[in-house]
Amino acid sequence: MSRSTMRSRAVPYRPRTLAPIERVPGLDYDVLDELLGYSLRRAQVAMFLAFAAATRGLDITPPRFTALVVIGANPGINQSVLGRVLGIARSGAMALADWFEARGWVERRRRSDDGRAWGLHLTRRGERLVAAMKERVRRHDRRRAAVLTAAERRELVRLLEKLAG
Amino acid sequence: MSRSTMRSRAVPYRPRTLAPIERVPGLDYDVLDELLGYSLRRAQVAMFLAFAAATRGLDITPPRFTALVVIGANPGINQSVLGRVLGIARSGAMALADWFEARGWVERRRRSDDGRAWGLHLTRRGERLVAAMKERVRRHDRRRAAVLTAAERRELVRLLEKLAG
DNA sequence: GCGACATTGTAATGCTCTATAACGATCCCG
DNA sequence: CGGGATCGTTATAGAGCATTACAATGTCGC
């Protein structure tokens, strides 16, 4: 099998400095300020910045983080399901798994119930890393969300879930 | 260090897929359900689907829509400022302007106050198109948001604004 | 005015993420 | 058993963005 043909990145890791979208003073934003989609986008920027701060130096992105958390909480999950969770194609989920495996965070194990599928599992090292990562992300998320009261926070999550369907 | 030399990376503006993020039954989402960032992301996908429905057949994306609205509301805006509004580099703003110009929606005009800059303006045709587009997007945005009551919608916007800071 | 530096538009280049399509292996079901 | 679905995999293509470099133009300190 040629999964050993690992996809290599020419540039291993480049730290990224993140900047918020500028709210240019004096500019007319017209209809944008009425759109829920645009409000969501702006709020997402704020939370994304918190995420970036939490994962600085780890070469982690939101999809990668989501994948690691889901693998950790659902050992043996296969790549197709992972792709559905992330909303990406199987091929993309596989590239993710390769990437994790190359770092020794995740390993593939044969599944007894399905000869086609590989089960994804965190390694010891992956578990330690994900645990630390989750803690840092949660802390930053809460800190950023601290502009809201606890009740507001709960209400916001409720409304977002309702919206997401 | 000047702002122009600061590295920045645009926060993903929109899901790059039209597929909704599946909520796989029986799967453990662990810490994700506590994270505001994740809830925001899922809600954003839902609103993006509304946007996609509104602009179907127009070959429009959220950045393009934002750019057109901003150009329409701020005639003569230059490409650097447009880039800052969108959170992308000048070169990207330029590619956008090229794209609009090729379709005859936007034209560049020399600015009397700055010999380096080009002012961006909607053409007649661009104006008609943007007006129609704004109406459609607004309608779909409201329709998708209709899963919320009017009061909930107002509250959501308030919380999002507070979060976006 | 002059000179250093900043800013604008532009072009070239490369990377990352994602989709799509194809394929063999395996599973499921009638 | 046989046809179709599913899984992992590979290859390929394209969108979107950053980065870098450059010339033209603007700005500011002196």
Side-chain angles (χ1 to χ4, degrees):
Chain A
M1 116 191 32
S2 42
R3 202 179 62 236
S4 54
T5 312
M6 210 62 71
R7 301 189 178 183
S8 62
R9 320 251 159 170
V11 180
Y13 171 61
R14 187 168 51 227
R16 298 168 252 211
T17 310
L18 296 141
I21 302 306
E22 271 189 60
R23 186 78 187 177
V24 180
L27 207 71
D28 185 354
Y29 284 76
D30 195 12
V31 75
L32 296 176
D33 283 328
E34 302 175 29
L35 298 176
L36 205 45
Y38 194 70
S39 296
L40 277 167
R41 143 85 171 146
R42 294 204 296 147
Q44 198 211 4
V45 170
M47 297 311 296
F48 185 75
L49 292 174
F51 176 88
T55 58
R56 186 154 297 151
L58 294 180
D59 204 5
I60 281 295
T61 63
R64 285 177 189 160
F65 176 74
T66 302
L68 286 173
V69 169
V70 168
I71 292 169
N74 305 272
I77 188 177
N78 70 37
Q79 299 171 191
S80 290
V81 174
L82 183 61
R84 286 210 299 277
V85 174
L86 297 174
I88 62 176
R90 288 203 308 286
S91 53
M94 178 175 155
L96 264 181
D98 283 349
W99 195 85
F100 294 145
E101 206 177 44
R103 276 155 191 77
W105 300 352
V106 163
E107 61 183 16
R108 291 167 160 105
R109 296 189 205 147
R110 276 289 177 209
R111 291 178 54 158
S112 50
D113 61 330
D114 191 333
R116 298 166 299 180
W118 290 91
L120 300 178
H121 300 260
L122 292 183
T123 60
R124 211 31 92 67
R125 187 162 155 231
E127 270 175 10
R128 277 199 304 274
L129 217 131
V130 172
M133 224 157 46
K134 285 200 297 193
E135 196 42 46
R136 283 167 64 174
V137 169
R138 179 157 40 191
R139 190 160 59 242
H140 277 78
D141 190 276
R142 284 192 179 273
R143 184 185 307 167
R144 190 64 187 76
V147 297
L148 308 179
T149 68
E152 282 178 336
R153 197 165 173 289
R154 276 193 302 275
E155 177 67 0
L156 177 55
V157 169
R158 188 184 73 82
L159 296 175
L160 290 175
E161 292 303 318
K162 203 168 168 187
L163 200 58
Chain B
M1 169 181 293
S2 75
R3 191 170 56 223
S4 66
T5 59
M6 277 198 306
R7 285 197 189 165
S8 71
R9 179 192 173 89
V11 179
Y13 195 98
R14 65 188 167 106
R16 292 177 219 192
T17 170
L18 286 179
I21 297 184
E22 266 189 63
R23 190 74 189 178
V24 180
L27 208 70
D28 185 353
Y29 283 77
D30 195 13
V31 75
L32 295 178
D33 282 329
E34 303 175 29
L35 298 175
L36 216 41
Y38 190 71
S39 299
L40 279 167
R41 157 82 175 159
R42 299 212 316 131
Q44 198 210 4
V45 170
M47 294 312 295
F48 176 74
L49 292 175
F51 177 88
T55 58
R56 186 154 297 150
L58 293 181
D59 204 4
I60 281 295
T61 64
R64 284 177 190 160
F65 177 74
T66 302
L68 287 173
V69 169
V70 168
I71 292 169
N74 306 272
I77 189 175
N78 70 38
Q79 298 171 189
S80 290
V81 173
L82 182 62
R84 286 209 298 277
V85 174
L86 297 174
I88 62 176
R90 291 202 306 286
S91 53
M94 188 191 139
L96 267 180
D98 283 349
W99 195 86
F100 294 145
E101 205 177 44
R103 276 155 191 78
W105 300 352
V106 163
E107 60 183 17
R108 292 168 160 103
R109 296 189 204 146
R110 276 290 176 208
R111 290 179 53 160
S112 50
D113 60 330
D114 191 333
R116 298 165 300 178
W118 291 92
L120 300 177
H121 300 258
L122 292 183
T123 59
R124 212 28 95 67
R125 187 162 155 229
E127 269 175 10
R128 276 200 304 272
L129 219 130
V130 172
M133 225 156 45
K134 286 200 296 192
E135 196 42 46
R136 284 167 63 174
V137 169
R138 180 156 41 190
R139 191 160 57 240
H140 277 78
D141 189 276
R142 285 191 179 272
R143 184 186 306 165
R144 188 66 186 77
V147 297
L148 308 179
T149 67
E152 283 177 335
R153 195 169 176 288
R154 275 193 303 274
E155 177 68 358
L156 177 56
V157 169
R158 187 183 75 81
L159 296 174
L160 290 175
E161 294 299 320
K162 203 169 168 185
L163 199 59

